[in-house]
Amino acid sequence: MRLDKYLAETAQCTRSEAKNLLAKGRVQVNGTVCKKGDTQLKAGDAVAVDGQPLQYQQYVYIMLNKPEGVVSASTDKRDTTVVDLVGDAYPRRQLFPAGRLDKTSTGFVLLTDDGGFAHDILAPKRHVSKTYTVVLDTPLTEEMCAGFAAGVTLADGTALSPAQVTALSQDRLTVQVVLKQGVYHQIKRMFGVYGAGVNGLHREAIGSLGLDPDLAPGQWRELSLEEVSKITR
Ligand code: URA
């Protein structure tokens, strides 16, 4: 890769800012100042700016706690999107949400620029689970649990894979739902089969990676590669 492109990607700056750093002699390759943006880097070359080593990261993975009213998209004409919440922290990255939550739903949304990974975790055959806390307007019944465990058929004929649903509260109005599928409005439609409405829906985890409790609604942070691996583990 060319040094100026590498700089822009690792130091999160534009190409012209990268050129500026180079022109000012602030960039070192293997300890020697280098001013040429078209220098081809070899594997193992160590690049530093002002003596601080840069580490190349091919993709970025972000955990966001989506607040109500924000849409799961990259851009939108009317509404704030999950990508808007990250602001201009990653000007060189084309971030998008890997999986959607409804505008009224809250919780864990994964943002990335890694299309292959997003495709993998959304593919039904990969069986990556998503765990939700759901508030119902009608108590959870044994009939619903048995139906979801066997796989219910939605009003439009879509046959759903088995889903695990358990009561979290004594009144059986707050429940945990674990899905390995991502059909549009799946949870609302599942409960709709039994005439139950959903008053609140919060995504707690993707795979075995739980939403960081320190992230308030609207806050986000980058994930370590160890955390990313928990998503598919
Ligand atoms: N199921 C829904 O109905 N809504 C969501 O946001 C997620 C799953």
Side-chain angles (χ1 to χ4, degrees), residues 142-170:
E142 287 309 322
E143 187 202 359
M144 293 181 199
C145 293
F148 296 142
V152 284
T153 301
L154 300 178
D156 68 353
T158 307
L160 296 180
S161 316
Q164 207 183 307
V165 183
T166 46
L168 293 175
S169 63
Q170 282 261 305

Side-chain angles (χ1 to χ4, degrees), residues 104 133-141 144 148 172-175 177 185-201:
T104 52
T133 298
V134 179
V135 180
L136 301 173
D137 65 2
T138 312
L140 180 73
T141 63
M144 293 181 199
F148 296 142
R172 301 181 71 83
L173 289 171
T174 304
V175 303
V177 178
H185 288 334
Q186 182 162 345
I187 294 177
K188 289 174 185 154
R189 292 163 76 199
M190 275 166 55
F191 284 102
V193 170
Y194 295 94
V198 167
N199 287 336
L201 200 156

Side-chain angles (χ1 to χ4, degrees), residues 34-86:
C34 179
K35 294 190 171 184
K36 285 191 177 149
D38 62 358
T39 303
Q40 285 294 333
L41 294 172
K42 300 180 299 306
D45 278 347
V47 181
V49 174
D50 298 333
Q52 292 297 315
L54 291 180
Q55 217 141 45
Y56 183 67
Q57 214 185 323
Q58 192 172 11
Y59 298 116
V60 69
Y61 306 90
I62 290 167
M63 171 190 279
L64 168 81
N65 185 358
K66 186 184 104 58
E68 221 179 313
V70 170
V71 293
S72 296
S74 299
T75 57
D76 193 88
K77 287 207 182 84
R78 269 188 328 211
D79 294 310
T80 303
T81 71
V82 285
V83 173
D84 292 337
L85 293 178
V86 176

Side-chain angles (χ1 to χ4, degrees):
M1 185 186 289
R2 283 172 58 119
L3 178 57
D4 50 6
K5 182 162 191 274
Y6 180 92
L7 276 175
E9 290 192 10
T10 51
Q12 288 299 309
C13 59
T14 61
R15 277 253 184 140
S16 63
E17 284 163 345
K19 280 204 175 82
N20 226 336
L21 290 174
L22 287 158
K24 289 186 173 149
R26 294 173 58 189
V27 180
Q28 300 95 42
V29 178
N30 301 325
T32 307
V33 170
C34 179
K35 294 190 171 184
K36 285 191 177 149
D38 62 358
T39 303
Q40 285 294 333
L41 294 172
K42 300 180 299 306
D45 278 347
V47 181
V49 174
D50 298 333
Q52 292 297 315
L54 291 180
Q55 217 141 45
Y56 183 67
Q57 214 185 323
Q58 192 172 11
Y59 298 116
V60 69
Y61 306 90
I62 290 167
M63 171 190 279
L64 168 81
N65 185 358
K66 186 184 104 58
E68 221 179 313
V70 170
V71 293
S72 296
S74 299
T75 57
D76 193 88
K77 287 207 182 84
R78 269 188 328 211
D79 294 310
T80 303
T81 71
V82 285
V83 173
D84 292 337
L85 293 178
V86 176
D88 53 10
Y90 299 89
R92 308 280 305 166
R93 306 268 183 181
Q94 304 290 316
L95 294 175
F96 62 90
R100 289 163 186 267
L101 283 178
D102 296 340
K103 187 171 168 181
T104 52
S105 301
T106 58
F108 187 176
V109 171
L110 178 74
L111 300 175
T112 186
D113 55 351
D114 183 349
F117 183 76
H119 179 268
D120 263 16
I121 64 164
L122 297 174
K125 67 174 188 310
R126 289 301 300 265
H127 302 302
V128 173
S129 63
K130 280 118 199 156
T131 306
Y132 301 85
T133 298
V134 179
V135 180
L136 301 173
D137 65 2
T138 312
L140 180 73
T141 63
E142 287 309 322
E143 187 202 359
M144 293 181 199
C145 293
F148 296 142
V152 284
T153 301
L154 300 178
D156 68 353
T158 307
L160 296 180
S161 316
Q164 207 183 307
V165 183
T166 46
L168 293 175
S169 63
Q170 282 261 305
D171 60 11
R172 301 181 71 83
L173 289 171
T174 304
V175 303
Q176 184 186 69
V177 178
V178 182
L179 298 181
K180 290 184 175 171
Q181 234 181 339
V183 171
Y184 183 63
H185 288 334
Q186 182 162 345
I187 294 177
K188 289 174 185 154
R189 292 163 76 199
M190 275 166 55
F191 284 102
V193 170
Y194 295 94
V198 167
N199 287 336
L201 200 156
H202 185 76
R203 183 150 66 199
E204 305 283 355
I206 304 179
S208 45
L209 182 65
L211 178 64
D212 183 339
D214 289 339
L215 291 178
Q219 288 187 333
W220 57 273
R221 69 167 174 83
E222 229 180 276
L223 294 174
S224 66
L225 291 181
E226 166 64 19
E227 288 174 311
V228 173
S229 74
K230 282 190 175 178
I231 291 177
T232 46
R233 205 180 292 158

